[in-house]
Amino acid sequence: LIIVSVIAYHLLASDFETSSIWQTEIENKILSDPLSAGGNYIFWGGNKGKNLYKLYLINSQGQRIAESQNLPHLPFDPIVIGNNVIMADHGRMLRGFSLPDFKVAWEVASNDMFEFPPIKCGNSNVLQSSGKSIFCFDSKTGKQLWDITVNDGMKNYACDKVIVAIHGYKDVSKPNWKCSAYDTEYGLDLWTLEEPVSKETPLFVKDTCIVTTAEGEAIVINQLSGQILYRSGAKGYIAVKALDEGVILANQSYTNFVYLSLLTGKSWTSTLKKDFVGAVQIGSNLVIADKVSLRCFDINSGVLAWQKDLGDIYGCYQHRNGIFVTYKEDFSARQTFAACLGADSANNLWLAKGSSLFRKPYPLAEGDLLLNYDGTIRLMPKPAIKSLSTMTMPAMPDPTDKVNKAFE
């Protein structure tokens, strides 16, 4: 009776795996999320032991359409711009591959190691930082169009309506970072923040850019003018996630987080059990993932709607109109899980199990394309996600007295 009771308890307490529509695999490890490319889907695969890597192109049935040549250096995540796949690797090479044959359309070598992957700039250009510079290339031809070069050292950067760069002197005891903005067409100087900032990646919400000062105070800046629209006042925080109309700030010890609305200036706070992993906004629902649990809050009031303890979370992303999370029951567990949930409850809409971590799925008309690091590719059933009302907010206007008053 005791044995039967224990088995029954574990069966009832455990989540059952959802059967996939189909499943296949490749001979190498899968190293990036799937990306849409001309009706098909690309990702990096490789063998780290042999130090060989290649791009794969598959169709919606998981059938292999094309492979690139073997490349001898670990790649960053690729991006797709038009009919080209752009990649950078740790061998200081930036390449453009044509679709669908993966022929090398162009390549550019750098004198310095890359610290960041390439990012899109405007409609058809790509940015890649190297050393003290950010270079802009035409994604079709690889021709260098212009560059941004600083006198000190490039630490971080991001691109939206403008390019915002964090740069300065890498003093070990007391680094001094500055924040400057450049236009996306020619790389011309737009503005520089007068006070020191932290090294974290700038975040963008609507027409604003959010950075934190060296003391950990969040600053909301108009992207084009550089005018400071709002200061949080609180010190010791890091801007970790941009949302539809707000931003998530976490304290430096990752024991608390703050949701700050950039339209109203109102905020609320809650605790973190462990390190911040991710945040997803679905309508008025805000799902926060720390290292051990998912929690869903009302984004306006901060009231907790539901909680799901998972063990050891590695990623949390928006998927369709819901949430995707990949996790283990504990750090030493060999089995990993991938779950799709709606924002209305903690119930799984589908659950997959594997021997390695899962990549972020790609939504197809037939279902969800789900890849695992171990080389398996499967199509999960299309989840029946409950449609939730999406908040309709006016676009953030340019700085005016009315908006400044609201922020105050």
Side-chain angles (χ1 to χ4, degrees), residues 262-316:
L262 300 189
L263 289 183
T264 66
K266 294 181 180 180
S267 63
W268 53 266
T269 185
S270 186
T271 59
L272 290 168
K273 295 182 179 180
K274 282 195 175 181
D275 289 356
F276 175 86
V277 174
V280 175
Q281 180 184 349
I282 306 294
S284 60
N285 296 275
L286 175 62
V287 178
I288 298 288
D290 57 32
K291 198 68 174 118
V292 296
S293 66
L294 292 178
R295 285 179 292 164
C296 181
F297 300 87
D298 179 88
I299 200 166
N300 298 308
S301 64
V303 174
L304 181 66
W306 55 262
Q307 178 172 325
K308 190 179 182 72
D309 296 324
L310 295 175
D312 194 27
I313 299 176
Y314 290 87
C316 178

Short mmCIF file of all heavy atoms in Angstrom, two decimals, residues 262-316:
data_model
loop_
_atom_site.label_atom_id
_atom_site.label_comp_id
_atom_site.label_asym_id
_atom_site.label_seq_id
_atom_site.Cartn_x
_atom_site.Cartn_y
_atom_site.Cartn_z
N LEU A 262 6.02 54.15 -17.61
CA LEU A 262 6.59 55.37 -18.19
C LEU A 262 5.51 56.34 -18.64
O LEU A 262 5.81 57.48 -18.99
CB LEU A 262 7.50 55.02 -19.37
CG LEU A 262 8.70 54.11 -19.04
CD1 LEU A 262 9.62 54.04 -20.24
CD2 LEU A 262 9.44 54.60 -17.82
N LEU A 263 4.25 55.92 -18.63
CA LEU A 263 3.17 56.83 -19.00
C LEU A 263 2.63 57.58 -17.79
O LEU A 263 2.25 58.74 -17.89
CB LEU A 263 2.04 56.05 -19.69
CG LEU A 263 2.36 55.55 -21.09
CD1 LEU A 263 1.14 54.86 -21.69
CD2 LEU A 263 2.80 56.69 -21.99
N THR A 264 2.60 56.91 -16.66
CA THR A 264 2.03 57.54 -15.47
C THR A 264 3.07 57.90 -14.42
O THR A 264 2.81 58.71 -13.54
CB THR A 264 1.00 56.60 -14.80
OG1 THR A 264 1.67 55.44 -14.31
CG2 THR A 264 -0.06 56.18 -15.81
N GLY A 265 4.25 57.28 -14.50
CA GLY A 265 5.26 57.51 -13.47
C GLY A 265 5.01 56.70 -12.21
O GLY A 265 5.80 56.76 -11.27
N LYS A 266 3.91 55.94 -12.17
CA LYS A 266 3.60 55.15 -10.98
C LYS A 266 4.40 53.85 -11.01
O LYS A 266 4.76 53.34 -12.06
CB LYS A 266 2.10 54.84 -10.93
CG LYS A 266 1.23 56.07 -10.72
CD LYS A 266 -0.24 55.70 -10.65
CE LYS A 266 -1.11 56.93 -10.44
NZ LYS A 266 -2.56 56.59 -10.38
N SER A 267 4.66 53.30 -9.81
CA SER A 267 5.44 52.08 -9.72
C SER A 267 4.96 51.23 -8.56
O SER A 267 4.25 51.70 -7.67
CB SER A 267 6.93 52.41 -9.52
OG SER A 267 7.13 53.09 -8.29
N TRP A 268 5.31 49.96 -8.59
CA TRP A 268 5.09 49.06 -7.47
C TRP A 268 6.25 48.07 -7.43
O TRP A 268 6.99 47.92 -8.39
CB TRP A 268 3.75 48.33 -7.58
CG TRP A 268 3.48 47.61 -8.86
CD1 TRP A 268 2.81 48.10 -9.95
CD2 TRP A 268 3.88 46.28 -9.21
NE1 TRP A 268 2.77 47.17 -10.95
CE2 TRP A 268 3.40 46.03 -10.53
CE3 TRP A 268 4.56 45.27 -8.55
CZ2 TRP A 268 3.62 44.82 -11.20
CZ3 TRP A 268 4.78 44.06 -9.21
CH2 TRP A 268 4.30 43.85 -10.51
N THR A 269 6.43 47.43 -6.29
CA THR A 269 7.59 46.57 -6.10
C THR A 269 7.18 45.23 -5.51
O THR A 269 6.12 45.10 -4.88
CB THR A 269 8.63 47.25 -5.19
OG1 THR A 269 9.80 46.42 -5.11
CG2 THR A 269 8.07 47.45 -3.79
N SER A 270 8.02 44.23 -5.74
CA SER A 270 7.83 42.91 -5.14
C SER A 270 9.20 42.27 -4.99
O SER A 270 10.22 42.80 -5.45
CB SER A 270 6.91 42.04 -5.99
OG SER A 270 6.61 40.82 -5.32
N THR A 271 9.24 41.10 -4.37
CA THR A 271 10.50 40.43 -4.10
C THR A 271 10.88 39.48 -5.23
O THR A 271 10.05 39.07 -6.03
CB THR A 271 10.41 39.62 -2.79
OG1 THR A 271 9.35 38.66 -2.91
CG2 THR A 271 10.12 40.55 -1.61
N LEU A 272 12.15 39.13 -5.27
CA LEU A 272 12.67 38.07 -6.12
C LEU A 272 13.25 37.00 -5.21
O LEU A 272 13.99 37.30 -4.27
CB LEU A 272 13.76 38.59 -7.06
CG LEU A 272 13.31 39.52 -8.19
CD1 LEU A 272 14.53 40.17 -8.84
CD2 LEU A 272 12.51 38.77 -9.24
N LYS A 273 12.92 35.74 -5.49
CA LYS A 273 13.47 34.66 -4.67
C LYS A 273 14.94 34.40 -5.02
O LYS A 273 15.74 34.09 -4.15
CB LYS A 273 12.65 33.39 -4.88
CG LYS A 273 11.21 33.50 -4.38
CD LYS A 273 10.46 32.19 -4.56
CE LYS A 273 9.04 32.31 -4.02
NZ LYS A 273 8.29 31.03 -4.18
N LYS A 274 15.25 34.52 -6.32
CA LYS A 274 16.64 34.38 -6.78
C LYS A 274 16.82 35.32 -7.98
O LYS A 274 15.99 36.20 -8.21
CB LYS A 274 16.95 32.93 -7.14
CG LYS A 274 17.21 32.04 -5.94
CD LYS A 274 17.88 30.73 -6.35
CE LYS A 274 18.26 29.91 -5.12
NZ LYS A 274 18.94 28.64 -5.51
N ASP A 275 17.88 35.11 -8.75
CA ASP A 275 18.21 36.01 -9.85
C ASP A 275 17.06 36.16 -10.83
O ASP A 275 16.34 35.21 -11.13
CB ASP A 275 19.44 35.50 -10.59
CG ASP A 275 20.71 35.64 -9.78
OD1 ASP A 275 20.63 36.20 -8.67
OD2 ASP A 275 21.77 35.19 -10.24
N PHE A 276 16.92 37.37 -11.37
CA PHE A 276 15.93 37.67 -12.39
C PHE A 276 16.28 36.93 -13.67
O PHE A 276 17.42 36.93 -14.13
CB PHE A 276 15.90 39.18 -12.64
CG PHE A 276 14.99 39.60 -13.76
CD1 PHE A 276 13.65 39.83 -13.53
CD2 PHE A 276 15.48 39.78 -15.05
CE1 PHE A 276 12.81 40.23 -14.55
CE2 PHE A 276 14.65 40.18 -16.08
CZ PHE A 276 13.31 40.41 -15.83
N VAL A 277 15.28 36.26 -14.30
CA VAL A 277 15.47 35.52 -15.54
C VAL A 277 14.77 36.19 -16.71
O VAL A 277 15.34 36.31 -17.80
CB VAL A 277 14.99 34.06 -15.40
CG1 VAL A 277 15.05 33.33 -16.74
CG2 VAL A 277 15.81 33.32 -14.36
N GLY A 278 13.53 36.64 -16.51
CA GLY A 278 12.81 37.26 -17.61
C GLY A 278 11.48 37.81 -17.17
O GLY A 278 11.02 37.57 -16.05
N ALA A 279 10.83 38.57 -18.05
CA ALA A 279 9.51 39.15 -17.79
C ALA A 279 8.75 39.22 -19.10
O ALA A 279 9.32 39.53 -20.15
CB ALA A 279 9.63 40.54 -17.17
N VAL A 280 7.45 38.94 -19.03
CA VAL A 280 6.58 38.95 -20.20
C VAL A 280 5.31 39.69 -19.84
O VAL A 280 4.70 39.43 -18.80
CB VAL A 280 6.23 37.52 -20.66
CG1 VAL A 280 5.23 37.55 -21.80
CG2 VAL A 280 7.49 36.77 -21.08
N GLN A 281 4.89 40.63 -20.70
CA GLN A 281 3.62 41.34 -20.51
C GLN A 281 2.62 40.84 -21.53
O GLN A 281 2.86 40.88 -22.74
CB GLN A 281 3.80 42.84 -20.66
CG GLN A 281 2.50 43.61 -20.47
CD GLN A 281 2.63 45.11 -20.70
OE1 GLN A 281 3.73 45.64 -20.81
NE2 GLN A 281 1.51 45.80 -20.79
N ILE A 282 1.48 40.34 -21.03
CA ILE A 282 0.36 39.93 -21.88
C ILE A 282 -0.85 40.74 -21.43
O ILE A 282 -1.45 40.46 -20.40
CB ILE A 282 0.05 38.42 -21.76
CG1 ILE A 282 1.31 37.59 -22.03
CG2 ILE A 282 -1.07 38.04 -22.72
CD1 ILE A 282 1.83 37.69 -23.43
N GLY A 283 -1.22 41.76 -22.19
CA GLY A 283 -2.30 42.65 -21.77
C GLY A 283 -1.96 43.30 -20.44
O GLY A 283 -0.91 43.92 -20.28
N SER A 284 -2.83 43.15 -19.46
CA SER A 284 -2.59 43.72 -18.14
C SER A 284 -1.94 42.72 -17.19
O SER A 284 -1.87 42.95 -15.99
CB SER A 284 -3.90 44.22 -17.53
OG SER A 284 -4.82 43.16 -17.39
N ASN A 285 -1.46 41.58 -17.73
CA ASN A 285 -0.79 40.57 -16.92
C ASN A 285 0.72 40.67 -17.11
O ASN A 285 1.21 40.72 -18.25
CB ASN A 285 -1.25 39.16 -17.32
CG ASN A 285 -2.72 38.93 -17.05
OD1 ASN A 285 -3.11 38.57 -15.95
ND2 ASN A 285 -3.54 39.16 -18.07
N LEU A 286 1.45 40.68 -16.00
CA LEU A 286 2.90 40.73 -16.03
C LEU A 286 3.43 39.47 -15.37
O LEU A 286 3.23 39.24 -14.18
CB LEU A 286 3.43 41.96 -15.29
CG LEU A 286 4.94 42.06 -15.14
CD1 LEU A 286 5.62 42.13 -16.50
CD2 LEU A 286 5.32 43.27 -14.29
N VAL A 287 4.11 38.62 -16.16
CA VAL A 287 4.69 37.38 -15.64
C VAL A 287 6.18 37.61 -15.40
O VAL A 287 6.92 37.97 -16.33
CB VAL A 287 4.47 36.21 -16.60
CG1 VAL A 287 5.13 34.95 -16.06
CG2 VAL A 287 2.98 35.98 -16.83
N ILE A 288 6.62 37.41 -14.17
CA ILE A 288 8.01 37.57 -13.77
C ILE A 288 8.59 36.19 -13.50
O ILE A 288 8.01 35.39 -12.76
CB ILE A 288 8.13 38.44 -12.50
CG1 ILE A 288 7.60 39.85 -12.76
CG2 ILE A 288 9.58 38.49 -12.02
CD1 ILE A 288 8.47 40.70 -13.64
N ALA A 289 9.76 35.92 -14.08
CA ALA A 289 10.47 34.66 -13.83
C ALA A 289 11.76 34.97 -13.10
O ALA A 289 12.60 35.74 -13.62
CB ALA A 289 10.75 33.92 -15.13
N ASP A 290 11.92 34.43 -11.88
CA ASP A 290 13.25 34.41 -11.28
C ASP A 290 13.81 33.01 -11.48
O ASP A 290 13.27 32.23 -12.25
CB ASP A 290 13.21 34.86 -9.82
CG ASP A 290 12.27 34.03 -8.96
OD1 ASP A 290 12.13 32.83 -9.25
OD2 ASP A 290 11.69 34.58 -8.00
N LYS A 291 14.88 32.67 -10.82
CA LYS A 291 15.55 31.41 -11.09
C LYS A 291 14.73 30.19 -10.66
O LYS A 291 14.99 29.07 -11.13
CB LYS A 291 16.91 31.39 -10.39
CG LYS A 291 17.87 30.34 -10.91
CD LYS A 291 18.33 30.67 -12.31
CE LYS A 291 19.41 29.68 -12.77
NZ LYS A 291 19.05 28.89 -13.90
N VAL A 292 13.71 30.38 -9.80
CA VAL A 292 13.00 29.21 -9.27
C VAL A 292 11.49 29.22 -9.53
O VAL A 292 10.85 28.20 -9.38
CB VAL A 292 13.25 29.06 -7.75
CG1 VAL A 292 14.71 28.79 -7.47
CG2 VAL A 292 12.77 30.29 -6.98
N SER A 293 10.90 30.35 -9.92
CA SER A 293 9.44 30.38 -10.01
C SER A 293 8.95 31.37 -11.05
O SER A 293 9.66 32.30 -11.44
CB SER A 293 8.82 30.73 -8.65
OG SER A 293 9.16 32.06 -8.29
N LEU A 294 7.68 31.13 -11.49
CA LEU A 294 6.94 32.08 -12.30
C LEU A 294 5.87 32.71 -11.43
O LEU A 294 5.19 32.01 -10.68
CB LEU A 294 6.25 31.38 -13.48
CG LEU A 294 7.10 30.79 -14.61
CD1 LEU A 294 6.18 30.12 -15.61
CD2 LEU A 294 7.94 31.85 -15.27
N ARG A 295 5.69 34.04 -11.54
CA ARG A 295 4.61 34.71 -10.83
C ARG A 295 3.94 35.69 -11.77
O ARG A 295 4.61 36.39 -12.53
CB ARG A 295 5.13 35.44 -9.59
CG ARG A 295 5.49 34.52 -8.42
CD ARG A 295 6.01 35.31 -7.24
NE ARG A 295 7.30 35.90 -7.54
CZ ARG A 295 7.86 36.89 -6.82
NH1 ARG A 295 7.21 37.39 -5.79
NH2 ARG A 295 9.03 37.36 -7.15
N CYS A 296 2.62 35.71 -11.73
CA CYS A 296 1.84 36.60 -12.58
C CYS A 296 1.19 37.68 -11.74
O CYS A 296 0.50 37.38 -10.75
CB CYS A 296 0.78 35.81 -13.35
SG CYS A 296 -0.21 36.84 -14.46
N PHE A 297 1.42 38.95 -12.09
CA PHE A 297 0.89 40.10 -11.37
C PHE A 297 -0.04 40.90 -12.29
O PHE A 297 0.12 40.90 -13.51
CB PHE A 297 2.02 41.03 -10.91
CG PHE A 297 3.02 40.40 -9.99
CD1 PHE A 297 4.12 39.72 -10.49
CD2 PHE A 297 2.88 40.50 -8.61
CE1 PHE A 297 5.07 39.16 -9.65
CE2 PHE A 297 3.80 39.93 -7.75
CZ PHE A 297 4.90 39.26 -8.28
N ASP A 298 -0.99 41.60 -11.66
CA ASP A 298 -1.71 42.65 -12.38
C ASP A 298 -0.74 43.81 -12.56
O ASP A 298 -0.20 44.33 -11.58
CB ASP A 298 -2.94 43.10 -11.59
CG ASP A 298 -3.68 44.21 -12.32
OD1 ASP A 298 -4.55 43.91 -13.14
OD2 ASP A 298 -3.36 45.39 -12.04
N ILE A 299 -0.52 44.22 -13.81
CA ILE A 299 0.54 45.18 -14.08
C ILE A 299 0.24 46.57 -13.52
O ILE A 299 1.16 47.35 -13.25
CB ILE A 299 0.81 45.26 -15.60
CG1 ILE A 299 2.20 45.85 -15.86
CG2 ILE A 299 -0.27 46.07 -16.33
CD1 ILE A 299 2.70 45.67 -17.27
N ASN A 300 -1.04 46.88 -13.30
CA ASN A 300 -1.39 48.20 -12.80
C ASN A 300 -1.32 48.29 -11.27
O ASN A 300 -0.91 49.32 -10.73
CB ASN A 300 -2.79 48.58 -13.27
CG ASN A 300 -2.88 48.67 -14.78
OD1 ASN A 300 -2.09 49.34 -15.42
ND2 ASN A 300 -3.83 47.95 -15.36
N SER A 301 -1.68 47.21 -10.59
CA SER A 301 -1.74 47.25 -9.13
C SER A 301 -0.64 46.47 -8.43
O SER A 301 -0.35 46.70 -7.26
CB SER A 301 -3.09 46.70 -8.66
OG SER A 301 -3.22 45.33 -9.00
N GLY A 302 -0.02 45.51 -9.15
CA GLY A 302 0.98 44.67 -8.52
C GLY A 302 0.40 43.51 -7.73
O GLY A 302 1.13 42.80 -7.02
N VAL A 303 -0.91 43.27 -7.83
CA VAL A 303 -1.56 42.18 -7.11
C VAL A 303 -1.18 40.84 -7.76
O VAL A 303 -1.24 40.70 -8.97
CB VAL A 303 -3.09 42.36 -7.10
CG1 VAL A 303 -3.77 41.14 -6.47
CG2 VAL A 303 -3.46 43.62 -6.34
N LEU A 304 -0.79 39.86 -6.94
CA LEU A 304 -0.39 38.55 -7.43
C LEU A 304 -1.61 37.75 -7.87
O LEU A 304 -2.55 37.56 -7.09
CB LEU A 304 0.38 37.79 -6.35
CG LEU A 304 0.89 36.40 -6.72
CD1 LEU A 304 1.95 36.49 -7.82
CD2 LEU A 304 1.45 35.69 -5.49
N ALA A 305 -1.60 37.25 -9.11
CA ALA A 305 -2.72 36.46 -9.63
C ALA A 305 -2.47 34.97 -9.48
O ALA A 305 -3.36 34.22 -9.09
CB ALA A 305 -2.97 36.80 -11.10
N TRP A 306 -1.25 34.50 -9.80
CA TRP A 306 -0.90 33.10 -9.62
C TRP A 306 0.60 32.94 -9.54
O TRP A 306 1.36 33.84 -9.90
CB TRP A 306 -1.48 32.20 -10.71
CG TRP A 306 -1.17 32.57 -12.14
CD1 TRP A 306 -1.96 33.27 -13.01
CD2 TRP A 306 0.03 32.24 -12.87
NE1 TRP A 306 -1.35 33.40 -14.22
CE2 TRP A 306 -0.13 32.77 -14.18
CE3 TRP A 306 1.20 31.55 -12.57
CZ2 TRP A 306 0.85 32.64 -15.16
CZ3 TRP A 306 2.18 31.41 -13.54
CH2 TRP A 306 1.99 31.95 -14.83
N GLN A 307 1.01 31.76 -9.06
CA GLN A 307 2.43 31.45 -8.91
C GLN A 307 2.66 29.99 -9.27
O GLN A 307 1.83 29.13 -8.99
CB GLN A 307 2.89 31.71 -7.47
CG GLN A 307 4.36 31.36 -7.22
CD GLN A 307 4.85 31.81 -5.86
OE1 GLN A 307 4.43 32.85 -5.36
NE2 GLN A 307 5.74 31.04 -5.26
N LYS A 308 3.81 29.71 -9.90
CA LYS A 308 4.16 28.34 -10.29
C LYS A 308 5.64 28.12 -9.96
O LYS A 308 6.52 28.73 -10.58
CB LYS A 308 3.90 28.11 -11.78
CG LYS A 308 4.01 26.65 -12.24
CD LYS A 308 3.69 26.56 -13.72
CE LYS A 308 3.72 25.13 -14.25
NZ LYS A 308 2.56 24.33 -13.79
N ASP A 309 5.93 27.26 -8.98
CA ASP A 309 7.30 26.94 -8.61
C ASP A 309 7.81 25.82 -9.51
O ASP A 309 7.18 24.77 -9.62
CB ASP A 309 7.38 26.52 -7.14
CG ASP A 309 6.99 27.66 -6.20
OD1 ASP A 309 7.32 28.82 -6.52
OD2 ASP A 309 6.35 27.38 -5.17
N LEU A 310 8.98 26.04 -10.14
CA LEU A 310 9.47 25.09 -11.14
C LEU A 310 10.81 24.45 -10.77
O LEU A 310 11.10 23.37 -11.24
CB LEU A 310 9.60 25.79 -12.50
CG LEU A 310 8.27 26.27 -13.10
CD1 LEU A 310 8.52 27.04 -14.38
CD2 LEU A 310 7.34 25.09 -13.36
N GLY A 311 11.66 25.11 -10.01
CA GLY A 311 12.92 24.50 -9.60
C GLY A 311 14.13 25.28 -10.06
O GLY A 311 14.76 25.97 -9.27
N ASP A 312 14.50 25.16 -11.34
CA ASP A 312 15.71 25.81 -11.85
C ASP A 312 15.43 26.32 -13.26
O ASP A 312 15.55 25.58 -14.24
CB ASP A 312 16.88 24.80 -11.85
CG ASP A 312 18.22 25.47 -12.04
OD1 ASP A 312 18.37 26.64 -11.69
OD2 ASP A 312 19.14 24.80 -12.57
N ILE A 313 15.05 27.58 -13.38
CA ILE A 313 14.59 28.15 -14.65
C ILE A 313 15.77 28.73 -15.42
O ILE A 313 16.62 29.43 -14.86
CB ILE A 313 13.53 29.23 -14.38
CG1 ILE A 313 12.31 28.62 -13.67
CG2 ILE A 313 13.10 29.91 -15.68
CD1 ILE A 313 11.25 29.63 -13.29
N TYR A 314 15.78 28.47 -16.74
CA TYR A 314 16.87 28.95 -17.59
C TYR A 314 16.42 29.98 -18.62
O TYR A 314 17.26 30.68 -19.19
CB TYR A 314 17.53 27.77 -18.31
CG TYR A 314 18.30 26.88 -17.37
CD1 TYR A 314 17.67 25.84 -16.69
CD2 TYR A 314 19.65 27.10 -17.13
CE1 TYR A 314 18.37 25.04 -15.81
CE2 TYR A 314 20.36 26.29 -16.25
CZ TYR A 314 19.72 25.27 -15.60
OH TYR A 314 20.42 24.48 -14.71
N GLY A 315 15.13 30.06 -18.91
CA GLY A 315 14.67 31.04 -19.88
C GLY A 315 13.18 31.23 -19.80
O GLY A 315 12.44 30.27 -19.53
N CYS A 316 12.72 32.46 -20.01
CA CYS A 316 11.29 32.77 -20.01
C CYS A 316 11.05 33.84 -21.08
O CYS A 316 11.67 34.90 -21.03
CB CYS A 316 10.84 33.26 -18.64
SG CYS A 316 9.10 33.74 -18.55
#
